[in-house]
Amino acid sequence: MSDAETPADTTNPNVAQDDFEPVQVFPEAEEMDLRPGADNCYKCTTCDSACPVAEVDDEFPGPKFQGPEQWRLKRKEDEDIDASVMDCSNCMRCDNACPSSVPLSQMHNTARGEFVDEQMEKLSREYIRNRLLANYRTMAELGSKAPRLTNFVMGLGATKLFNEKVLGVTSEREFPEFAEQTFRGWWNERGGPQVRSEDKRVAYFHGCYSNYNTPEVGKAMVRVFEEFEYEVVVPKQRCSGTPMFANGMLDDAKRAAGINVDTFSGLIADGYDVIASCTSCSMSLKQEYPELFDLEGIEDVSAHTYEAMEYLRIHEDLQGALADSEVAGQTYAYHAPCHARNQGLDRQAVELFRDVDGVEIEDVGPSCSGISGTYGWKSEKYETSMKIGEEMFEHMHHASGNVGMTECPTCSMQMEHGTGYEIRHPLQVLEEALA
Amino acid sequence: MPIRENVIVVGGGLTGSIAALSAAETGASVRLVSYKKSTLRFASGLVDVLGYPNGDGPVSDPFAALSSLPDDHPYSLVGEGAIRDGLSLFDEVTGDGYRGSHTDANALVPTYGGTVKPTARYPTASAAGLASDARSMLVVGFRSLTDFDARLVSDHLEAAGVPFDVRGAELSFPKEYRADAKVTRFAKALDTDEEIRFAGRSVGMREAVAETVKPRLKGAERVGFPSFLGDEHASEVRTDLESQLGAEVFEIPMGPPSFPGLRLEDALFAALDDAGVRISSGNPVVDYEADGDRLQAVYVDRKRTRVPYHADEFVLATGGLVGKGIDSDRSRVREPIFGSYVPHPSDRYDWFDTDAFGDHPFAKFGVVVDDEMRVVGVENSPRFSNLRAAGAVVGGADGAAEKSSSGISLATGVVAGRGAGASI
Ligand SMILES: Cc1cc2nc3c(=O)[nH]c(=O)nc-3n(C[C@H](O)[C@H](O)[C@H](O)COP(=O)(O)OP(=O)(O)OC[C@H]3O[C@@H](n4cnc5c(N)ncnc54)[C@H](O)[C@@H]3O)c2cc1C
Ligand code: SF4
Ligand code: SF4
C-alpha cells in the first residue's frame, strides 16, 4: 500500500466498521473484548519494525503475531498461547508505533497472563524465579531491614552462583544496593509534609526503587514540589505492578493495583493529584490498570496521574523558574526510557535543561536500553538484553558527557552496567538548579 | 501558565515539519505536537510535485502544467513561488541525501511494482536507478522477502519500454532468517556489517551479499536492491557494495516499513532540533479553547488527562484520510479537532466513483483555506483568525492520483508556517 505504486487508495475511506458481535477470547478475562482492536490491524508490520526484541532475536515472532494474529488463531480453535509471549519484554514500543491504535500491549499482557496461569508449571524454576523477580518489593522490604548485610550477601560470589544456577538470575549483573535508610524512613523522620496547602496538593507514588534503592530521587521530588509550594503526601502503597504484568502474574498485579487505587482515589477526592518519579509506575497507573482491571476508582486515578516533571510543566512556569538558575557544569547523556517515550515524555528533560546554565544535555537516541525491568535479570535473556542495549551504550560513549540521565531505575542500572557511568534522575538536577 | 509558544503546529509528517521549520525561520518560538508516527513510515520517500495533472500525463515539467489545475487546487492558491520555496527548504534540510534540484523536469524512478514514477526529488540512494539512464540493469530480490519480486520488477520495466537491458534475479540472502523476517533485520545486518559464516569463511554481511550477487551480474552496469541497504550507515553500505561489485548500486523504494521514508523522517527531525523547534509526540490533540475568533489553546489527550498547549498562532497539519486528519463515518466527513468545514456530497454514494480507478470525490476531501492557508468556513471567511492548515488535510487535490502529495505538503507548509510566524 504505497502510492509509490498504485494510483490511489480506492478502498472505502475509514468508514466506520459494521457493528460487531463481541466474542470471548481469553476465558478468564470477563470484561475484556479485544475484537475491535484486533480487527483494526491491517498488517502493515510497523509494530514489528519497532520491536527491539525482534530486531536482535530471530526466534521472536514479533508484536503483530503476539497480538492480533494470536488472537485470531485462538478464536478459530482452542489454541494454546504461544510460549514466545514470554520473550516479549513489555517495553510497549509496539503500542506507540501502531498507526491503527491496536492495543498491542494489552493483548500481550492478557495473553501472558493466560499463558502463565494455564500453561506454566508452577513448580518450575522459571515460574518461581519470575514470581520472585515480579515481587521485588517483598524481597526489597526484607533486604532493606538490614541493608548493609543484604548488600554484602548479595555481592558474594556464592550468592551469585546460587542465583545463577538455582534460580536462573544472571550473575553478570550487580544487585542494586539497598539504601541505608528508605525514602519512607526519611519521610517519617522529617515529620511528613513541610508545606500545607488547600489547592496545591500532590500524592507521591514513589514506587519500590526510589523507596529502597535510590531515596535521593524521592527526596529531590519532595523538595522540588515543596519549593513550588505544593503539599506533598506519601500514602501507603504497593508495587505499581509493572514487573508483575511483564511476568504474567496478573493476580499479584491486581492485588497490588487494588490497594493502590483504593488509597489514591480517596486522596483524589480530597483534591490531590498523583505524581510518580518512575515512568513505568506512571504508565502502570495511567494505562495498564484501566486496560486490565475493572477497579472502582481506576478511571479517576488514571486521569489524575502524572509524571513529576510533566506535572510541573503543565501547572507551573518551570522554564521561567529555571531561567536564571545555574548549576555546576555537567554534561549529561540522556536516555529516554521506553515507558516515557510511550507517554510522549521523551523529550521534556532535554527541552528543559537545554536552557539551564551549566547543563549540557545530549539525547543518546531512540533505542531501547534493553533491560526492561526484570527481563535483563533472567539468565536466558541477559544476552538479548545486552544486544538490544548495545546501540545505547555506543551512543553514550560517543556523547560528550560521561554522566548519564534517565527517569527509569532499571534503565539506569543498564546504563551503568554497560558504560560504568554514574546515572542521575532529572529531578535531582532540577533540585540542584532550583536550590 | 505552563506550556506556551508563539506557534503550535499540529501534526508531525512532512507538512508539519516544513511548516514548523518555516515558522521558526521568522524567529518565532515553535512547538510541533504530533500523535503517532507519520505516514512517512509507509511513504516511498519520493517527493512528487506533479506527475498526472487532471488524470493526464505523465508530464515532464510539473511547473509548466500548473496552469491547467482548477482554481481551488492548493497549488493554484499558493502559486509557483511557494512550490519553489518549499522545494528549496526541502533541499536545504536533506542536503546530499536527495537529488533532483538541478532541473525542473521530473525524474523517472523505477518502483517496486516495476512502474516508472515521475518525481521531483528522489533519494541519492535511488539515483543510479533512473529510467532515463541507458546503462544495463540487474534487479535483485531475496526469496525470503516476499513483497519484492525482482523478476516482476524487471518484466514490468521491460514492458514499459525502458531504454536499457534489464534482468531480474531472485537470490537467497546469505544468512538464514525466519520465514517472515522483517526488512529491519536485513537492514541492521548490513548496517553493522554483521560477521557471518559464508562459503566456509567468516565474512562481513556486505561482502557476503556482494558475493551472492556477483555470479548474476553478467556485465550489468548497475544493480537495484529493495530499499533496505542499511539504516544509519546507508551510504557506507552502498559504497561498499559498489566497490565489491564493480557496478553502481541503487535502491528501489518499497512498501512499509519504508527505509527511505524513515531516513527522511530522521533528517526532518534533526533539522527541527537544530532550528530549536520543540517537539511533543505520542499523544493526540483532541480539542481546543477559543476566545471569540481567536484560538487560545489546543488540548492534548494524555490517556484520560487533557493537557493544554497555548500559542498565538496554530497550524493544522494532521494529514488526510490516511493520516487521520480527516475522518468519516457513514453520514459525513469531518475534520475531527476543530470541526472545520469539509465540503462533501450529502449522499454517501456520491463519495465514490463507480469505477475503482475513477475520479473519486473522497480523494479530494479536506478543509477549505484561503490563499494564506487560513481555514475558512462555509461563508468563505476565516473560522479562527489564527488557524491555518496545510498538507493532506487541505482539500481540493487528489495527491495520490496526481502524484503531487509531497509537493503540496511543501508548498502549503511553507506558506502556512511563514504566515503563522509573521503574524506574531
Ligand atoms: C503509503 C503512502 C505512500 C506515499 N508515497 C508518496 C510518494 O511516492 N510521493 C509523494 O510525493 N508522496 C507520497 N506520499 C505522501 C507523503 O508521504 C505525505 O503523506 C504527504 O506529504 C502528506 O503529509 P502530511 O504531513 O500532510 O500528512 P501525514 O504524513 O499523514 O502526517 C499527519 C501527521 O499528523 C498527526 N496527527 C493526525 N491527527 C492528529 C491529532 N489529532 N493530534 C496530533 N497529531 C495528529 C499524525 O500522527 C501524523 O504525524 C505517500 C503517502 C502514503 C500514505
Ligand atoms: S502496527 Fe498495528 S496495524 Fe500494523 S501490523 Fe502492527 S498491529 Fe497491525
Ligand atoms: S512490548 Fe516491546 S518487546 Fe513486546 S512485542 Fe511490543 S515492542 Fe516487542
Side-chain angles (χ1 to χ4, degrees):
Chain A
M1 65 146 288
S2 166
D3 96 337
E5 196 37 52
T6 51
D9 180 4
T10 49
T11 52
N12 220 338
N14 288 6
V15 168
Q17 312 254 350
D18 283 341
D19 287 344
F20 59 86
E21 285 290 311
V23 199
Q24 205 62 50
V25 221
F26 301 116
E28 85 282 21
E30 264 152 33
E31 327 75 18
M32 203 100 57
D33 172 31
L34 298 170
R35 158 99 190 258
D39 284 353
N40 277 347
C41 171
Y42 58 99
K43 302 199 174 73
C44 67
T45 73
T46 305
C47 54
D48 287 347
S49 66
C51 174
V53 175
E55 188 169 272
V56 302
D57 177 4
D58 197 39
E59 299 302 308
F60 184 61
K64 173 164 62 86
F65 173 80
Q66 304 299 346
E69 278 176 8
Q70 175 142 271
W71 195 95
R72 284 192 203 102
L73 283 178
K74 266 207 84 65
R75 236 193 88 210
K76 273 204 212 104
E77 47 220 83
D78 195 21
E79 289 270 341
D80 277 352
I81 300 280
D82 194 84
S84 63
V85 76
M86 296 309 284
D87 295 334
C88 155
S89 75
N90 200 37
C91 71
M92 302 169 90
R93 276 183 175 244
C94 45
D95 260 6
N96 191 36
C98 174
S100 194
S101 301
V102 174
L104 287 150
S105 69
Q106 185 182 10
M107 290 175 147
H108 302 164
N109 274 330
T110 321
R112 209 162 28 230
E114 178 175 337
F115 178 82
V116 170
D117 270 357
E118 296 184 5
Q119 287 160 248
M120 215 169 170
E121 182 53 61
K122 298 298 172 298
L123 294 173
S124 67
R125 167 176 111 154
E126 196 186 351
Y127 179 84
I128 295 169
R129 190 256 335 253
N130 288 1
R131 190 98 200 251
L132 276 174
L133 286 174
N135 286 282
Y136 174 76
R137 179 183 171 274
T138 317
M139 291 202 298
E141 188 157 303
L142 286 172
S144 66
K145 298 264 194 284
R148 260 176 293 216
L149 177 65
T150 314
N151 292 339
F152 174 72
V153 173
M154 286 313 222
L156 285 180
T159 313
K160 289 190 156 191
L161 199 65
F162 174 83
N163 285 338
E164 173 93 46
K165 295 283 177 258
V166 181
L167 287 177
V169 173
T170 180
S171 59
E172 299 285 342
R173 293 187 186 277
E174 298 299 321
F175 267 91
E177 291 211 357
F178 288 110
E180 298 281 310
Q181 185 186 32
T182 62
F183 168 76
R184 299 190 70 92
W186 170 81
W187 177 255
N188 291 334
E189 200 174 278
R190 94 199 276 254
Q194 307 289 303
V195 174
R196 287 292 177 185
S197 167
E198 283 288 305
D199 44 39
K200 291 174 82 171
R201 330 177 106 178
V202 293
Y204 180 32
F205 188 90
H206 50 62
C208 308
Y209 205 77
S210 81
N211 187 35
Y212 298 113
N213 302 94
T214 55
E216 60 278 11
V217 171
K219 292 178 199 171
M221 139 74 222
V222 169
R223 291 186 190 125
V224 166
F225 273 73
E226 290 190 343
E227 177 78 25
F228 282 103
E229 288 166 13
Y230 281 88
E231 173 176 320
V232 180
V233 295
V234 183
K236 280 236 173 328
Q237 52 192 273
R238 299 289 300 276
C239 167
S240 70
T242 304
M244 300 163 183
F245 302 133
N247 286 290
M249 310 286 171
L250 291 190
D251 292 341
D252 291 351
K254 187 166 185 177
R255 260 191 304 279
I259 294 171
N260 290 333
V261 170
D262 195 43
T263 325
F264 283 92
S265 62
L267 284 162
I268 289 166
D270 293 335
Y272 291 88
D273 284 322
V274 185
I275 305 299
S277 54
C278 158
T279 41
S280 295
C281 294
S282 54
M283 184 76 157
S284 181
L285 268 59
K286 209 161 181 53
Q287 179 174 335
E288 284 165 315
Y289 284 9
E291 273 182 3
L292 296 170
F293 309 127
D294 187 14
L295 297 167
E296 173 90 26
I298 179 58
E299 289 295 329
D300 225 16
V301 170
S302 171
H304 285 89
T305 298
Y306 300 80
E307 189 276 331
M309 187 134 89
E310 172 194 26
Y311 191 82
L312 292 175
R313 277 180 10 121
I314 297 169
H315 295 96
E316 303 295 330
D317 179 11
L318 199 49
Q319 229 163 341
L322 289 176
D324 304 319
S325 57
E326 202 180 318
V327 300
Q330 182 61 61
T331 308
Y332 293 99
Y334 174 76
H335 162 76
C338 296
H339 289 177
R341 190 172 294 281
N342 298 345
Q343 296 184 65
L345 303 175
D346 50 324
R347 283 175 167 264
Q348 63 173 11
V350 173
E351 190 178 300
L352 196 70
F353 291 129
R354 201 154 51 181
D355 300 333
V356 176
D357 274 349
V359 180
E360 289 282 328
I361 179 165
E362 193 175 330
D363 194 321
V364 295
S367 61
C368 170
S369 81
I371 188 168
S372 285
T374 59
Y375 193 81
W377 283 91
K378 301 173 182 174
S379 301
E380 76 280 10
K381 304 279 196 293
Y382 176 74
E383 208 187 315
T384 307
S385 153
M386 291 303 279
K387 256 202 228 162
I388 297 173
E390 215 167 276
E391 201 171 314
M392 179 190 73
F393 302 145
E394 203 181 301
H395 285 155
M396 282 179 74
H397 284 305
H398 284 162
S400 43
N402 53 8
V403 173
M405 186 196 279
T406 192
E407 286 91 346
C408 169
T410 52
C411 287
S412 102
M413 279 181 218
Q414 177 86 332
M415 291 164 82
E416 191 183 341
H417 183 62
T419 61
Y421 293 178
E422 176 204 345
I423 318 295
R424 301 184 79 196
H425 190 288
L427 283 170
Q428 293 174 276
V429 183
L430 198 55
E431 181 194 12
E432 194 187 331
L434 292 171
Chain B
M1 187 187 20
I3 307 171
R4 164 171 277 289
E5 236 71 52
N6 292 143
V7 178
I8 281 180
V9 176
V10 184
L14 180 59
T15 312
S17 307
I18 289 293
L21 287 170
S22 313
E25 277 182 356
T26 67
S29 73
V30 184
R31 180 183 296 276
L32 189 97
V33 184
S34 173
Y35 184 22
K36 298 284 180 178
K37 304 289 179 215
S38 77
T39 52
L40 285 170
R41 302 204 152 216
F42 313 101
S44 60
L46 300 178
V47 171
D48 306 342
V49 168
L50 189 58
Y52 295 84
N54 312 308
D56 301 328
V59 295
S60 71
D61 182 350
F63 294 100
L66 288 175
S67 57
S68 69
L69 295 172
D71 288 347
D72 63 345
H73 192 284
Y75 279 158
S76 306
L77 292 174
V78 296
E80 180 176 335
I83 306 175
R84 294 193 182 275
D85 289 352
L87 285 169
S88 64
L89 181 52
F90 179 85
D91 293 334
E92 221 175 278
V93 166
T94 52
D96 48 15
Y98 269 79
R99 300 277 176 84
S101 60
H102 60 289
T103 170
D104 275 356
N106 275 325
L108 297 171
V109 179
T111 73
Y112 77 108
T115 55
V116 171
K117 183 172 159 123
T119 194
R121 297 288 185 274
Y122 47 94
T124 303
S126 299
L130 294 196
S132 47
D133 185 331
R135 289 176 299 169
S136 55
M137 181 187 286
L138 171 69
V139 178
V140 298
F142 295 97
R143 291 191 183 93
S144 40
L145 193 73
T146 46
D147 287 354
F148 185 96
D149 182 338
R151 293 210 184 85
L152 182 135
V153 176
S154 69
D155 287 353
H156 279 201
L157 284 175
E158 204 156 40
V162 291
F164 48 83
D165 280 339
V166 53
R167 277 178 300 114
E170 285 288 317
L171 309 172
S172 297
F173 203 70
K175 184 179 169 190
E176 288 270 329
Y177 291 110
R178 55 179 303 121
D180 58 343
K182 291 105 204 149
V183 283
T184 41
R185 299 273 304 163
F186 297 104
K188 175 130 183 165
L190 285 163
D191 228 19
T192 57
D193 204 10
E194 189 180 323
E195 284 285 314
I196 58 160
R197 295 294 299 172
F198 181 75
R201 298 175 300 138
S202 178
V203 297
M205 184 57 88
R206 298 174 194 172
E207 187 182 336
V209 167
E211 291 301 324
T212 312
V213 173
K214 249 182 206 162
R216 305 299 194 93
L217 203 55
K218 297 185 183 134
E221 291 157 284
R222 46 187 180 149
V223 186
F225 287 84
S227 55
F228 64 48
L229 301 182
D231 181 11
E232 261 186 80
H233 306 292
S235 74
E236 199 184 294
V237 171
R238 222 169 48 247
T239 324
D240 266 12
L241 290 174
E242 285 180 339
S243 70
Q244 290 177 30
L245 284 169
E248 282 212 64
V249 165
F250 64 94
E251 289 186 332
I252 299 177
M254 57 176 293
S258 152
F259 277 99
L262 287 170
R263 293 179 203 131
L264 175 55
E265 185 176 78
D266 287 346
L268 289 166
F269 275 67
L272 290 166
D273 272 335
D274 287 346
V277 172
R278 304 195 168 99
I279 301 172
S280 305
S281 68
N283 300 298
V285 170
V286 291
D287 206 354
Y288 64 90
E289 186 188 312
D291 183 4
D293 81 333
R294 285 195 74 76
L295 277 176
Q296 303 292 321
V298 288
Y299 283 92
V300 169
D301 176 51
R302 253 279 275 124
K303 305 197 165 87
R304 300 172 179 78
T305 310
R306 282 147 81 91
V307 181
Y309 283 70
H310 294 262
D312 306 308
E313 293 286 328
F314 296 83
V315 177
L316 181 69
T318 44
L321 285 164
V322 182
K324 309 237 188 307
I326 300 291
D327 195 11
S328 68
D329 58 27
R330 286 174 171 270
S331 55
R332 65 201 182 113
V333 185
R334 43 179 227 121
E335 179 276 297
I337 301 177
F338 301 101
S340 311
Y341 166 60
V342 176
H344 60 279
S346 56
D347 184 345
R348 195 164 73 89
Y349 292 95
D350 294 337
W351 296 358
F352 316 93
D353 192 274
T354 41
D355 173 7
F357 293 97
D359 186 9
H360 293 284
F362 78 74
K364 296 186 181 174
F365 286 169
V367 303
V368 185
V369 290
D370 64 16
D371 58 1
E372 291 178 63
M373 295 290 114
R374 272 206 197 82
V375 180
V376 301
V378 194
E379 304 286 307
N380 250 344
S381 60
R383 174 107 187 286
F384 300 109
S385 58
N386 56 346
L387 175 64
R388 289 172 170 78
V393 73
V394 173
D398 181 350
E402 292 175 354
K403 303 286 178 226
S404 64
S405 314
S406 296
I408 291 176
S409 294
L410 295 176
T412 58
V414 163
V415 172
R418 233 169 16 199
S423 311
I424 303 304

